[in-house]
Amino acid sequence: MNYEAVIGLEVHAELSTKSKIYCSCTTEFGGEPNTHCCPVCTGMPGTLPALNRKTVEYAIKAGLATNCTISPFTKQDRKNYFYPDLPKGYQISQYDLPLCKDGFVEIETENEKKRIRINRIHIEEDAGKLLHGEEDNNSYIDYNRTGVPLIEIVSEPDISSAREAKSYLEKLKAILQFINVSDCKMEEGSLRADVNISVRPKGSNHLGERTEMKNLNSFRSVYRAIESEIARQIHVIKSGGKINQETRRWDENKGESYPMRSKEDAQDYRYFPEPDLPPLIIKNELVERLKKELPELPDARKQRYVSEYGLPEYDAQVLTSSKELSDFFEETAKQSTNVKAVSNWIMGDMLRILNERNLEIVDIPFPPSYLVRLITLIDKGVINGSTAKNVFDLMFDTGKDPDNIVKEHGLEMLKDQSFLLEVIEKVIRDNPNSLDDYKKGQKKVIGFLVGQAMKATKGKADPQILNQILIKRLED
Amino acid sequence: MQITIQDIEQIALTAQLELTAEEKERQLEKFNKLFQDVEVLAQVDTSEIEPLAHVQSIKNVLREDLLQESLSQEKVLQNAPDQEEGMFKVPKII
Amino acid sequence: MQLHEYTISELSSLISKKEISILELTQHMLGRIEKLDSELGCYISIVEDQAMEQAAKVQKMLDKGILTSPLTGIPMGIKDNICTEGILTSCGSKMLSNFVPPYNAHVVKKLYNSGSVLLGKLNMDEYAMGSSTESSYFKKTRNPWDTERVPGGSSGGSAAAVVAGEAIYSLGSDTGGSIRQPASFCGCVGLKPTYGLISRFGLVSYASSLDQIGPLTKTVTDCALVLNAIAGHDPMDLTSSRRIHPDYTKALINDVKGMKIGLPREFIDDSVEKNIRDAILNAVKVFTDLGAECVEISIPVMEYVVPTYYIIALAEASSNLARYDGVKFGYRASNPKDILDFCKRTRSEGFGTEVKRRILLGTYVLSSGYYDAYYKKALKARAIITREFNKAFEQCDIIIGPVSPTTAYKIGEKINDPIQMYMEDIFTVPVNIAGLPAMSIPCGLDNNSLPIGLQLLGKRFDEQTIIKTAYTFEQNTEFHNLRPNLNV
């Protein structure tokens, strides 16, 4: 029996407004505990919420960018429950009239494009942060984060695999970054995902019992957790057991999930309309204005890279996976005549170095024009390919422009024919059998000898000239 | 609509209140008395009526996205029953 | 005449003419509080040092010509559910018995700016939930007319202080009658303004869609003066109206000729004590003698205003009081076993019985399975009640009636029958449900020499018609001059 997975994601993204959703405290990440707070966001008696206009506008933009319908009439509701990180004992959220509905996002699967539908997007406030004492029996609360505006994006259960979930999450992240409403940093908690998973026999119309997975702090966790849960559920069913509808907590270190205390499931939130906040009428003019303000979205940009720059789909996909990456690429491509090379450098060496050194695009210590210059140096034959890689590394180390680096380190390609001939002669002398091997017809010898010559010149020789000289020499 | 002791217990749990047996009885008695009077509401024909959550007709009142100075950490914690290193302190949350 | 017997307008004149100093006035008031308050129990906190400092500062500003408001130098008391920075704000509860807000309520800021001098924070029913001030954690307030009787509630301290001369004016809050009923029991003027006229920022919420802050004063003129000072939009309260409010003193006109005064038949039926009915009918005669027309109207929805009110109020209250969990401020249970025990015990020990009752009821009507039958139903009933009052106002300019079916009862008499007490809010709650303004003014004494209040209800934002009608009544009667004999 083959099983298929039915997966839905609930994604929370922190909106990058200056001030919180219901008060004028900063939304800045970090800071000493309880220093970004006021009577409103700490729920002191007598305080009232005042809705931040930008929160609504950003949420509408997120809805427009995901093809949602924007509700013409919307309101906020109280979600009532007790937890120490929730200062008022209720969260102001939206219940039955969310701001955005019925949208979708397109992802690439192995074979084709797939549409993941979005059920709703609504605005709500974030809660505080809890720290649990290691040795003592206490917990500690920091309310800096309470009141940071969130949008909750709820997908339909259209996702069928961990890979699709990851793609969906990446696409949402790219979209939200492109439209500048969230910086979507999972490590900082500005993008969070909870996953709902069930399995069923392939082709069945029935929905299996589902579980909810929490504590997914990275894309990798999302992927691993889903794979793990699908496997676990299939295993349980195959062994004749039943899936309990429960919330499970993912442990990234152990690579396993555990059921959380089931009292979570029995919550009666007693939703009712928030009496302290007047409802909202979203007029067409506002929606149209915000639509016009939307920048080019990732998919549109990707298409443009394919048609305008002639890049393959795969390259365009990678380059539009994040706004910063895409912006860096565009800046560089604009100034360069060799867009394919730009694409290759960024997708290859640059992403590798960023990964190795744990850097973000914003940390790159040089401007796009330096990369353009580097490529020009190669194209003009000033340096060769492998030198260029060294130069690129040095650009990251020093932030200096490539011309400077090449001069300082004397990395210009060696092209002097007589000098190179001497090098070749020495290489051949050092490898006497090579001549014979060549005469015997082993063309591989050329590569080997060129390699040796490159070594001798510390990689600076012009490989084409070397090749020419070598072949001429061998023929003689 | 008769409410039972079990109902009271459930409600108390939801509201994070702990009642003694005597309190539960007394509250139950008053509950049932009030809900007798509330029954009159059930007779009112509200089939064509929309619920009125806000008595004012004002809509779209919003605040501009401007920063204002937050309270000092000291003032935020000034009424805290227990605190440590700038954070509110409570028994461990499992 | 002693200083505490004067009205705001009289004192304002004496102060600006330099016939008395603000310090002298403040000292006098503090002295009066010292003499009376151990018996009357109006105040939870008295701020002598701040009052003297404020008085001195305000005198300087007056002398420099910086302060010109009619409230300059006038000593006042504020109900203890309105936040005052640096001063205990307890809401009459053990839960907040040590809570010192780091900020001022919007109305407090406005009154400080107008030059008023704060004498202290006034006693109230715990979290404003009650009609007799008997549920205060700290003390009972006694009615100055008969100290064996309640002053009404929940703003009992606010009303008693004004009548006993322990404050020249006070602020109270009204969710279902909590300004008007104590004003009627104690014999002073009490106004619940239109919902949205006064900012609620800094008022500890009981029921968010029903609460309003309002003044308690000796005369209608004083009421208009205080209203002028506290009305107006506050960007921190999105439910506060953006309308520019008028100068309410311009409505102090002695004239009701041609005015249509509605008297609902449901307001003077047998449920109202005879003394009160007589006083109301007498008031009608005063108005008709002056040229007004009395229109008999009917408001059949009166049958279900009380359940509607209680369901909405208690539902909102159960949510508003969820923040009291011992974590950030207020009372905390000692030696908790764990976090669950901590929260439950804090709330169970910190709240009194009536508050707990209301939280339980409110939680119930919002809970899954009951929301539609109770809360949603009540919101629909609210729509009907509002519509019916609007319809009634098509037939008249103002509606009058009693504030309460009884006058002040004995302390302890009704506290064990809370549901009966709820029912006695019948004439006051529809005003909050529909967001209308309403005022209570003294209109007589009953056979036990206890004050009777006349309630005047107006259209939304039509405080002017209420003020004009009430002022006219005052100008043509002597009831507002009656004071209890306190032998001091």
Side-chain angles (χ1 to χ4, degrees):
Chain A
M1 164 97 83
N2 266 336
Y3 286 88
E4 62 184 13
V6 177
I7 302 166
L9 253 64
E10 269 169 34
V11 173
H12 285 90
E14 283 182 6
L15 297 178
S16 51
T17 56
K18 287 205 219 61
S19 62
K20 293 185 176 181
I21 188 173
Y22 296 119
C23 68
S24 309
C25 291
T26 178
T27 54
E28 215 180 288
F29 178 73
E32 282 300 296
N34 295 304
T35 54
H36 298 167
C37 301
C38 73
V40 177
C41 56
T42 49
M44 288 195 193
T47 54
L48 298 169
L51 179 60
N52 180 340
R53 180 188 299 279
K54 269 261 149 26
T55 305
V56 179
E57 292 185 357
Y58 280 16
I60 293 175
K61 281 187 172 175
L64 290 171
T66 53
N67 306 290
C68 291
T69 317
I70 311 299
S71 302
F73 180 83
T74 183
K75 63 175 168 65
Q76 282 140 105
D77 302 287
R78 289 194 190 176
K79 180 178 181 181
N80 296 282
Y81 66 96
F82 287 90
Y83 205 66
D85 68 358
L86 196 65
K88 297 192 291 291
Y90 58 86
Q91 178 197 35
I92 303 179
S93 174
Q94 295 191 285
Y95 181 51
D96 54 333
L97 291 176
L99 190 51
C100 316
K101 287 189 305 193
D102 303 331
F104 65 86
V105 142
E106 274 182 2
I107 60 170
E108 309 278 322
T109 63
E110 290 95 42
N111 327 316
E112 16 117 72
K113 284 206 217 307
K114 182 172 177 179
R115 214 174 245 208
I116 307 296
R117 292 168 302 159
I118 289 175
N119 178 287
R120 56 187 276 154
I121 301 181
H122 71 251
I123 55 174
E124 60 184 29
E125 53 179 345
D126 208 346
K129 271 223 191 85
L130 296 173
L131 278 106
H132 306 291
E134 300 286 314
E135 282 119 52
D136 61 335
N137 255 338
N138 298 303
S139 292
Y140 302 87
I141 313 170
D142 170 16
Y143 290 115
N144 280 354
R145 203 181 62 177
T146 39
V148 168
L150 298 175
I151 40 172
E152 179 172 332
I153 305 171
V154 182
S155 81
E156 297 286 6
D158 292 346
I159 298 168
S160 320
S161 70
R163 172 172 302 171
E164 284 184 12
K166 186 155 175 282
S167 299
Y168 170 73
L169 205 49
E170 282 169 349
K171 187 43 97 48
L172 271 187
K173 175 177 159 153
I175 291 174
L176 295 176
Q177 282 179 332
F178 266 68
I179 63 177
N180 263 320
V181 305
S182 175
D183 60 21
C184 291
K185 295 190 179 153
M186 274 192 101
E187 339 73 66
E188 282 181 8
S190 54
L191 185 71
R192 296 165 226 166
D194 294 332
V195 183
N196 289 303
I197 308 168
S198 67
V199 299
R200 63 184 178 192
K202 219 178 179 97
S204 157
N205 271 333
H206 262 24
L207 281 175
E209 198 67 70
R210 68 166 185 206
T211 61
E212 187 186 7
M213 190 78 76
K214 282 184 176 298
N215 196 39
L216 306 169
N217 297 323
S218 63
F219 284 94
R220 184 179 132 91
S221 294
V222 171
Y223 188 91
R224 292 179 77 207
I226 293 176
E227 296 240 290
S228 156
E229 181 60 10
I230 293 173
R232 184 193 76 86
Q233 287 197 10
I234 293 177
H235 175 79
V236 166
I237 295 175
K238 280 195 167 150
S239 334
K242 260 184 14 135
I243 304 294
N244 294 328
Q245 190 191 57
E246 63 193 0
T247 304
R248 299 178 70 86
R249 194 170 194 279
W250 175 252
D251 186 325
E252 177 64 18
N253 294 330
K254 296 212 175 101
E256 288 182 325
S257 66
Y258 307 93
M260 285 171 85
R261 301 168 84 228
S262 64
K263 84 185 269 288
E264 298 262 341
D265 307 356
Q267 284 277 20
D268 179 2
Y269 293 119
R270 291 158 283 138
Y271 286 99
F272 70 98
E274 172 57 76
D276 291 329
L277 293 169
L280 299 170
I281 303 221
I282 309 293
K283 301 209 181 97
N284 249 334
E285 293 90 65
L286 175 64
V287 175
E288 289 307 308
R289 171 170 72 80
L290 293 173
K291 215 185 253 181
K292 288 204 183 82
E293 286 178 17
L294 286 182
E296 197 181 24
L297 295 179
D299 282 349
R301 214 180 248 203
K302 185 178 90 172
Q303 284 313 115
R304 184 163 62 76
Y305 288 1
V306 168
S307 56
E308 202 176 296
Y309 294 127
L311 293 178
E313 271 237 17
Y314 177 75
D315 293 25
Q317 172 72 25
V318 173
L319 291 168
T320 53
S321 62
S322 101
K323 180 162 196 292
E324 287 104 349
L325 181 61
S326 178
D327 285 347
F328 193 92
F329 166 74
E330 282 217 39
E331 250 327 289
T332 317
K334 246 195 273 194
Q335 302 173 40
S336 169
T337 48
N338 190 348
V339 178
K340 192 67 178 68
V342 172
S343 167
N344 288 338
W345 271 96
I346 290 181
M347 281 174 48
D349 287 84
M350 189 165 99
L351 286 183
R352 175 185 52 80
I353 294 178
L354 290 178
N355 204 7
E356 280 169 10
R357 300 185 189 208
N358 221 355
L359 297 173
E360 303 284 338
I361 301 275
V362 70
D363 300 320
I364 298 175
F366 54 84
S369 57
Y370 286 15
L371 176 55
V372 176
R373 195 59 207 138
L374 181 69
I375 293 170
T376 308
L377 290 175
I378 301 170
D379 288 345
K380 286 221 166 93
V382 176
I383 55 176
N384 64 35
S386 68
T387 311
K389 283 191 199 285
N390 291 340
V391 174
F392 200 45
D393 268 318
L394 289 167
M395 279 162 71
F396 271 91
D397 290 338
T398 65
K400 291 199 183 147
D401 73 83
D403 291 81
N404 232 312
I405 292 173
V406 165
K407 265 204 191 66
E408 265 180 50
H409 297 256
L411 296 171
E412 291 89 349
M413 257 198 310
L414 301 165
K415 298 186 194 207
D416 183 47
Q417 301 250 4
S418 42
F419 174 73
L420 289 179
L421 183 56
E422 274 180 40
V423 172
I424 295 274
E425 293 288 356
K426 179 159 194 313
V427 161
I428 292 179
R429 275 201 303 278
D430 291 344
N431 296 281
N433 296 332
S434 51
L435 250 180
D436 296 326
D437 290 340
Y438 181 74
K439 295 228 159 77
K440 282 192 201 138
Q442 290 184 23
K443 306 285 176 187
K444 275 195 280 194
V445 155
I446 298 179
F448 170 72
L449 291 172
V450 168
Q452 291 299 303
M454 286 294 276
K455 237 205 235 163
T457 59
K458 294 202 175 60
K460 290 195 280 187
D462 183 333
Q464 274 176 322
I465 298 182
L466 268 184
N467 225 301
Q468 280 171 14
I469 298 178
L470 177 63
I471 290 181
K472 198 153 170 273
R473 175 71 184 77
L474 290 173
E475 293 295 320
D476 288 345
Chain B
M1 176 66 248
Q2 272 285 94
I3 296 155
T4 65
I5 282 276
Q6 285 81 8
D7 290 325
I8 300 282
E9 282 166 358
Q10 180 57 47
I11 300 165
L13 180 61
T14 307
Q16 291 290 288
L17 290 172
E18 214 168 55
L19 305 171
T20 62
E22 193 198 331
E23 277 176 313
K24 282 184 214 168
E25 286 293 343
R26 263 193 279 133
Q27 297 286 12
L28 179 63
E29 186 206 325
K30 304 291 188 256
F31 247 75
N32 281 320
K33 214 167 178 206
L34 180 66
F35 279 92
Q36 255 170 23
D37 296 318
V38 167
E39 280 309 302
V40 68
L41 250 191
Q43 317 302 332
V44 182
D45 179 12
T46 56
S47 46
E48 302 294 307
I49 312 288
E50 283 303 302
L52 187 64
H54 294 97
V55 75
Q56 300 187 95
S57 56
I58 53 172
K59 311 253 188 303
N60 294 3
V61 193
L62 299 155
R63 171 182 59 87
E64 299 309 313
D65 186 29
L66 299 165
L67 283 180
Q68 280 190 18
E69 213 181 313
S70 293
L71 271 188
S72 67
Q73 189 193 71
E74 194 192 333
K75 281 217 163 125
V76 170
L77 293 165
Q78 136 191 332
N79 285 287
D82 200 0
Q83 49 150 308
E84 201 174 292
E85 291 187 37
M87 292 183 281
F88 294 89
K89 188 170 166 187
V90 297
K92 197 158 198 174
I93 301 155
I94 311 145
Chain C
M1 200 149 140
Q2 293 192 60
L3 287 177
H4 60 267
E5 296 177 84
Y6 289 107
T7 63
I8 296 175
S9 41
E10 287 164 344
L11 286 169
S12 181
S13 171
L14 291 172
I15 289 169
S16 61
K17 286 199 221 140
K18 302 241 188 303
E19 291 182 35
I20 56 166
S21 78
I22 296 169
L23 210 55
E24 183 189 338
L25 175 58
T26 305
Q27 268 167 330
H28 174 84
M29 297 305 294
L30 289 170
R32 182 134 179 104
I33 294 172
E34 206 181 314
K35 266 190 238 151
L36 289 175
D37 211 57
S38 46
E39 197 195 353
L40 290 181
C42 300
Y43 282 91
I44 292 177
S45 317
I46 302 159
V47 291
E48 291 103 342
D49 291 342
Q50 173 174 309
M52 298 301 278
E53 268 172 48
Q54 249 185 328
K57 203 171 89 178
V58 170
Q59 182 74 65
K60 271 209 192 90
M61 291 172 80
L62 176 72
D63 295 339
K64 286 197 192 140
I66 301 173
L67 269 176
T68 52
S69 153
L71 295 183
T72 303
I74 308 296
M76 57 152 177
I78 291 184
K79 187 175 181 181
D80 210 17
N81 61 354
I82 298 173
C83 286
T84 41
E85 186 176 346
I87 302 170
L88 174 67
T89 298
S90 73
C91 298
S93 179
K94 179 177 179 182
M95 187 64 90
L96 290 179
S97 51
N98 59 2
F99 177 65
V100 178
Y103 74 101
N104 277 315
H106 182 78
V107 296
V108 171
K109 271 193 250 178
K110 288 194 119 172
L111 289 178
Y112 281 169
N113 286 341
S114 74
S116 279
V117 175
L118 180 67
L119 295 168
K121 304 302 291 301
L122 295 162
N123 197 23
M124 51 184 285
D125 276 300
E126 187 183 357
Y127 279 104
M129 298 180 182
S131 341
S132 63
T133 311
E134 291 173 285
S135 69
S136 167
Y137 171 67
F138 298 95
K139 58 179 79 172
K140 298 203 189 332
T141 301
R142 293 170 182 281
N143 192 317
W145 289 82
D146 177 347
T147 54
E148 297 301 305
R149 294 178 185 262
V150 301
S154 59
S155 312
S158 304
V162 168
V163 170
E166 290 191 44
I168 300 300
Y169 75 90
S170 67
L171 284 188
S173 72
D174 188 312
T175 305
S178 290
I179 288 176
R180 293 161 285 156
Q181 188 253 36
S184 82
F185 277 21
C186 292
C188 66
V189 176
L191 171 70
K192 182 206 93 68
T194 305
Y195 183 85
L197 182 61
I198 316 286
S199 165
R200 289 182 298 119
F201 194 89
L203 169 66
V204 179
S205 288
Y206 160 12
S208 318
S209 73
L210 303 164
D211 295 342
Q212 270 295 268
I213 294 174
L216 292 98
T217 56
K218 290 197 198 69
T219 63
V220 175
T221 303
D222 282 2
C223 182
L225 289 170
V226 179
L227 191 60
N228 271 352
I230 59 175
H233 177 67
D234 175 13
M236 302 281 271
D237 173 4
L238 298 191
T239 62
S240 71
S241 170
R242 287 196 154 128
R243 284 177 174 229
I244 311 291
H245 70 89
D247 175 357
Y248 294 107
T249 59
K250 296 246 167 26
L252 295 164
I253 300 169
N254 180 1
D255 180 18
V256 292
K257 272 198 282 298
M259 198 183 268
K260 289 204 172 78
I261 298 179
L263 179 60
R265 74 168 72 100
E266 293 84 4
F267 278 28
I268 43 162
D269 63 16
D270 288 338
S271 65
V272 180
E273 270 175 14
K274 186 167 189 310
N275 284 177
I276 299 177
R277 267 185 287 143
D278 289 343
I280 306 300
L281 292 172
N282 178 57
V284 170
K285 188 165 188 305
V286 168
F287 288 125
T288 50
D289 283 350
L290 291 169
E293 185 194 332
C294 181
V295 181
E296 204 195 86
I297 57 177
S298 172
I299 306 182
V301 297
M302 287 305 289
E303 211 189 15
Y304 51 88
V305 295
V306 172
T308 304
Y309 167 78
Y310 274 98
I311 290 175
I312 296 173
L314 272 42
E316 292 180 5
S318 71
S319 176
N320 284 326
L321 267 63
R323 68 191 65 203
Y324 303 102
D325 57 7
V327 174
K328 313 154 295 275
F329 41 73
Y331 176 78
R332 175 185 281 206
S334 49
N335 302 322
K337 274 189 285 168
D338 54 36
I339 188 79
L340 296 167
D341 176 52
F342 162 83
C343 185
K344 273 198 235 159
R345 252 197 319 122
T346 293
R347 290 168 62 76
S348 309
E349 291 171 11
F351 289 136
T353 306
E354 184 57 32
V355 169
K356 280 192 268 194
R357 169 168 307 125
R358 298 193 187 202
I359 292 174
L360 291 169
L361 285 163
T363 305
Y364 179 65
V365 303
L366 286 177
S367 59
S368 165
Y370 299 107
Y371 177 91
D372 282 1
Y374 293 118
Y375 186 72
K376 193 166 175 192
K377 185 84 180 179
L379 289 186
K380 292 185 173 193
R382 177 181 208 165
I384 300 177
I385 294 165
T386 304
R387 185 188 67 196
E388 290 303 303
F389 269 87
N390 289 340
K391 262 213 276 196
F393 277 114
E394 286 166 15
Q395 301 174 62
C396 56
D397 303 305
I398 195 165
I399 294 173
I400 64 169
V403 174
S404 169
T406 73
T407 53
Y409 40 84
K410 290 218 190 290
I411 291 174
E413 186 182 318
K414 302 203 178 176
I415 196 69
N416 290 320
D417 197 354
I419 310 302
Q420 177 53 33
M421 281 172 86
Y422 292 2
M423 293 308 152
E424 290 177 6
D425 292 334
I426 185 167
F427 302 117
T428 47
V429 299
V431 167
N432 304 78
I433 292 171
L436 306 171
M439 184 189 282
S440 170
I441 57 173
C443 69
L445 297 177
D446 73 357
N447 292 338
N448 293 319
S449 295
L450 297 167
I452 298 170
L454 173 71
Q455 191 179 194
L456 300 104
L457 292 72
K459 295 180 228 184
R460 277 180 59 74
F461 296 107
D462 191 17
E463 276 77 359
Q464 293 108 297
T465 303
I466 294 177
I467 289 171
K468 183 165 148 189
T469 314
Y471 182 75
T472 303
F473 186 81
E474 250 183 12
Q475 294 300 303
N476 290 281
T477 59
E478 286 299 315
F479 302 116
H480 58 288
N481 288 323
L482 297 171
R483 292 278 175 273
N485 189 355
L486 288 162
N487 293 324
V488 198

